[in-house]
């Protein structure tokens, strides 16, 4: 008789929380128990790595990150089963926004892997937009990577966000890539695409660079992780770039590109899993005052 595998209680609770969030339509809220966010001030971040200390830390962090990535791939803690459409990433010569669904802290390493597979790392840098709290208040090894490994932290401080936008524009104009999770939340092992926010598409429209829509589908592998759940095997779907229309205003481009991205993800989801995309979200009835 096989020994029962015990599921990690924190993962069970997160899955229950995700079910509740979907039902309530709270798609942009993070169910993870992350450290509290500390406000990021302009003087505490060097987005473009203009300081010698920042450059040195970035070099160390990137080296550590690559070593970590190689190890989790070797140990099958990250399993990339197949990559479809790599040519859509290989052919991009300009700066670009990469969008991806967000369901695991390791999915960023998946994007790092395909970035290298496409040989874009030879001439470009892949920057990653991250949440404020991951930069200001995440402990240990991951915290060091969050703060130093070519990351672009968001901020609740308006002055910092001015610096953020300036850096983003410069990065794209010089031809580098930026990874943005437009769902604005991480839902662990959640397979459906979530509603998208405007930010990634507004940035792409303003800079007249393409969005590369990437969607990762997953299947249970025969390996069980430390949390008691099957480790997922990823299939990475890289689709044709979505270009802004130079004749349209930024607002128009933003909406069109966002909708195209969502429809592409929806088609991938339905084609791969062979089921229609449906949500459990309960519709709330609007009741006018006095009626």
């Amino acid at each position: 008789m096989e020994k029962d595998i015990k599921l990690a209680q924190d993962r069970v609770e997160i899955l229950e929380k995700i079910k509740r969030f979907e039902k309530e339509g709270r798609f942009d809220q993070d169910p993870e128990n992350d450290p509290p966010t500390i406000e990021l001030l302009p003087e505490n971040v060097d987005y473009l790595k203009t300081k010698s200390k920042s450059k040195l830390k970035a070099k160390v962090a990137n080296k550590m990150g690559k070593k970590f990535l190689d190890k989790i791939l070797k140990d099958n803690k990250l399993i990339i089963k197949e990559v479809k459409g790599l040519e859509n990433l290989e052919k991009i010569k300009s700066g670009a926004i990469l969008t991806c669904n967000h369901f695991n802290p390791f999915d960023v390493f998946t994007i790092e892997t395909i970035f290298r597979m496409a040989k874009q790392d030879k001439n470009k840098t892949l920057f990653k937009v991250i949440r404020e709290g991951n930069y200001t208040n995440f402990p240990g090894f991951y915290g060091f990577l969050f703060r130093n490994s070519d990351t672009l932290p968001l901020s609740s401080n308006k002055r910092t966000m001015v610096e953020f936008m300036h850096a983003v524009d410069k990065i794209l104009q010089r031809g580098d890539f930026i990874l943005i999770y437009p769902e604005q939340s991480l839902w662990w092992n959640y397979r459906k695409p979530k509603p998208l926010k405007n930010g990634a598409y507004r940035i792409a429209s303003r800079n007249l660079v393409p969005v590369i829509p990437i969607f990762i589908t997953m299947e249970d592998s025969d390996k069980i992780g430390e949390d008691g759940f099957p480790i997922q095997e990823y299939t990475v779907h890289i689709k044709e770039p979505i270009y802004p229309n130079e004749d349209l205003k930024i607002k128009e481009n933003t909406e069109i590109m966002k909708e195209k991205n969502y429809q592409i993800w929806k088609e991938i989801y339905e084609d791969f899993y062979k089921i229609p995309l449906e949500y459990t979200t309960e519709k709330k009835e609007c009741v006018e005052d006095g009626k």
Side-chain angles (χ1 to χ4, degrees), residues 38-47 132 135-136 153-161 163:
I38 295 174
E39 184 181 19
L40 178 62
L41 301 176
E43 56 268 25
N44 294 330
V45 60
D46 181 14
Y47 284 113
E132 184 174 36
Y135 188 90
T136 58
L154 297 166
S155 176
S156 53
N157 182 283
K158 289 182 179 179
R159 290 186 299 120
T160 309
M161 284 306 294
E163 295 297 320

Side-chain angles (χ1 to χ4, degrees), residues 19-169:
K19 285 182 183 177
R20 189 171 79 250
F21 279 15
E22 180 181 354
K23 191 173 182 180
E24 296 171 357
R26 297 160 61 185
F27 289 101
D28 57 0
Q29 294 190 29
D30 237 331
E32 300 288 337
N33 300 313
D34 292 323
T37 295
I38 295 174
E39 184 181 19
L40 178 62
L41 301 176
E43 56 268 25
N44 294 330
V45 60
D46 181 14
Y47 284 113
L48 294 173
K49 302 292 185 287
T50 57
K51 301 173 184 175
S52 298
K53 187 176 181 181
S54 301
K55 291 177 183 176
L56 179 60
K57 283 187 174 181
K59 188 175 181 180
V60 172
N62 288 332
K63 189 174 181 180
M64 290 171 62
K66 186 178 185 304
K67 188 175 180 181
F68 179 75
L69 171 55
D70 291 342
K71 180 170 174 51
I72 60 176
L73 286 168
K74 182 181 177 182
D75 294 345
N76 284 320
K77 290 184 177 179
L78 171 62
I79 304 173
I80 301 175
K81 181 180 178 182
E82 187 177 3
V83 178
K84 297 183 176 182
L86 190 64
E87 68 278 2
N88 292 322
L89 195 57
E90 291 172 330
K91 67 185 181 183
I92 302 299
K93 305 299 182 185
S94 67
I97 300 286
L98 277 55
T99 60
C100 185
N101 51 324
H102 200 19
F103 54 86
N104 191 294
F106 283 2
D107 55 43
V108 67
F109 292 111
T110 304
I111 302 302
E112 288 274 10
T113 301
I114 64 167
F115 177 68
R116 291 171 186 161
M117 287 173 66
K119 295 184 170 53
Q120 288 286 10
D121 61 317
K122 303 299 180 184
N123 301 303
K124 297 180 184 293
T125 300
L126 174 64
F127 290 84
K128 289 81 65 176
V129 172
I130 64 171
R131 64 184 288 272
E132 184 174 36
N134 284 355
Y135 188 90
T136 58
N137 200 31
F138 210 93
F141 171 75
Y142 293 113
F144 181 78
L145 293 186
F146 283 143
R147 283 183 288 278
N148 300 289
S149 187
D150 297 323
T151 54
L152 300 169
L154 297 166
S155 176
S156 53
N157 182 283
K158 289 182 179 179
R159 290 186 299 120
T160 309
M161 284 306 294
V162 170
E163 295 297 320
F164 171 89
M165 295 309 300
H166 170 73
V168 162
D169 292 346

